[in-house]
Amino acid sequence: MTLTVKEARAGGGRTPRAAGRRVRPPSRHGSRWTPWLYLAPALVVLGGLLVYPIYQLGLISFLEYTQAQVSGGEPTTFKGLANYAELFGDGQFWQVLLATVVFAAACVLSTLAVGCSFAVLLTRIRAVPRLALMLAALGAWATPAITGSTVWVFLFDPDFGPVNRVLGLGDFSWTYGRYSAFALVLLEVVWCSFPFVMVTVYAGIRAIPGEVLEAAAMDGASQWRIWRSVMAPMLRPILVVVTIQSVIWDFKVFTQIYVMTNGGGIAGQNLVLNVYAYQKAFASSQYSLGSAIGIVMLLILLAVTLVYLRLLRRQGEEQ
């Protein structure tokens, strides 16, 4: 930093000591820790609500913990990985895991398809129908899972439900067959989940410059081509977020399956991991096995989250 002749004369010909010296940039130590200081209260709350329960869940999964240990009749013994060996050696566990993965994938794909379709529809209709559609969708989203599940069971009831009468299915029971029960639960899950995708994607579409869409339309691109080649690439960060969140939500579905199939269907034909863990822990009093299932689910969802964070980081580097 230097002074001009005019500035030196204005100062009486005296040059300040700081003249000619470089001004040191402010220390970055404070700015490095500032975000963590803001996050500290939330991290403390999350630590108390999540870390300790996860610790207890993991601890019980390594112990022999049944109703006898809960009541204090027998001492708790350390079993190591024996509970996990028993779990992985059970053929029903792998069947339930496969059913959970397939069911969650079907729910995610259906939710994304319905949500994105309605998001595009919102951009094509007028203000009043758009408001009515958004209010109806948000009403479905705000409905508690147990309430929505009970209503859907009534709608598809073989004796009193209106759906069978309209479709002419007579006394067909949707919850009796394995695939029809899963399909019924899938419809309810999509019904209460697609509004989140719809609103999020609609906001992303509104952020796309209109000139880009107009240019694609003037070039003769169809609506499907505009979505696939123009809108979807620009909405990729948003689609990644809603996809990962849908995977997490649908993978740990419990209420809909438990209520609509009466605890997992006939002979457990509609079990998913969450309901399977509940049955092991509370119906069979095998709390250690239920905890082991919970840890396995936690690790699977943690892997999905890490993939999500990696995708976000890669997109940030590309931008």
Side-chain angles (χ1 to χ4, degrees), residues 144-318:
I146 189 170
T147 304
S149 301
T150 305
V151 171
W152 274 76
V153 169
F154 168 75
L155 291 176
F156 289 84
D157 186 86
D159 297 323
F160 306 102
V163 175
N164 281 12
R165 297 180 183 179
V166 173
L167 298 179
L169 297 178
D171 58 350
F172 174 75
S173 177
W174 290 81
T175 58
Y176 184 80
R178 181 186 185 189
Y179 298 106
S180 60
F182 269 128
L184 180 60
V185 178
L186 183 145
L187 292 176
E188 200 279 336
V189 171
V190 172
W191 173 76
C192 67
S193 301
F194 87 90
F196 169 74
V197 178
M198 181 193 73
V199 173
T200 306
V201 175
Y202 173 71
I205 293 175
R206 282 302 185 186
I208 297 176
E211 296 80 3
V212 177
L213 303 179
E214 292 178 2
M218 292 179 63
D219 289 339
S222 62
Q223 294 297 327
W224 168 247
R225 185 62 183 274
I226 292 176
W227 166 259
R228 183 173 62 88
S229 302
V230 180
M231 298 174 65
M234 300 183 71
L235 294 173
R236 185 176 302 169
I238 294 177
L239 293 177
V240 170
V241 171
V242 297
T243 300
I244 298 301
Q245 290 187 347
S246 298
V247 169
I248 295 175
W249 291 342
D250 296 338
F251 189 81
K252 58 185 185 67
V253 165
F254 174 82
T255 305
Q256 291 88 342
I257 289 286
Y258 190 83
V259 172
M260 301 179 70
T261 65
N262 195 20
I266 300 175
Q269 64 182 2
N270 297 113
L271 285 176
V272 292
L273 280 180
N274 247 349
V275 181
Y276 184 59
Y278 175 83
Q279 288 191 353
K280 286 293 184 182
F282 298 100
S284 303
S285 298
Q286 296 176 316
Y287 300 101
S288 54
L289 285 179
S291 300
I293 298 173
I295 293 297
V296 172
M297 291 185 61
L298 175 64
L299 294 177
I300 294 175
L301 293 179
L302 181 61
V304 174
T305 303
L306 292 177
V307 172
Y308 161 63
L309 295 177
R310 184 176 180 181
L311 289 175
L312 288 183
R313 182 178 180 182
R314 182 180 301 176
Q315 290 177 359
E317 293 176 352
E318 292 177 355

